[in-house]
Amino acid sequence: MVKVGVVIPVLSQYKMAVDLIASLRSRYTLETFIVPQYRHQLPLSGAWNYGADECWRKGCDYALICNDDILLSPFAIDNMVKALTYSSSLMVAT
């Protein structure tokens, strides 16, 4: 089964992160990684890298890195995985 890690760096807007988490829908297994930037004293890019490393360490097949001020449509994650799976199969075939 495909496992998708969702990384959400948060500076101070936890309410928006909660709303984002509530919008996560997928037929795949999701693992959410909240990265509190202030606690780790990381700039945004450092939080992205830290979260991506956590995804790979936890065995995720894909990492979706989201800012905390977005909401996802119900099929967004599934469509992204489908597109990535299709494009990587083209790269292997060539």
Side-chain angles (χ1 to χ4, degrees):
M1 183 64 156
V2 172
K3 185 175 176 182
V4 179
V6 180
V7 177
I8 307 169
V10 177
L11 186 57
S12 62
Q13 298 295 325
Y14 282 96
K15 167 69 171 100
M16 291 192 306
V18 168
D19 293 341
L20 168 57
I21 292 167
S23 76
L24 298 177
R25 302 277 186 278
S26 180
R27 65 185 177 120
Y28 303 109
T29 302
L30 296 178
E31 184 152 352
T32 305
F33 300 91
I34 305 294
V35 182
Q37 289 175 256
Y38 66 88
R39 186 178 348 151
H40 296 291
Q41 297 181 348
L42 294 169
L44 184 57
S45 60
W48 292 338
N49 291 335
Y50 179 87
D53 287 343
E54 285 297 301
C55 288
W56 309 140
R57 193 175 67 73
K58 295 278 187 141
C60 295
D61 301 296
Y62 297 96
L64 174 61
I65 300 173
C66 302
N67 288 342
D68 61 359
D69 61 347
I70 67 168
L71 299 175
L72 296 174
S73 66
F75 300 104
I77 294 172
D78 293 351
N79 288 337
M80 285 185 249
V81 170
K82 182 178 177 183
L84 289 168
T85 302
Y86 177 74
S87 65
S88 61
S89 70
L90 291 177
M91 287 188 285
V92 171
T94 57

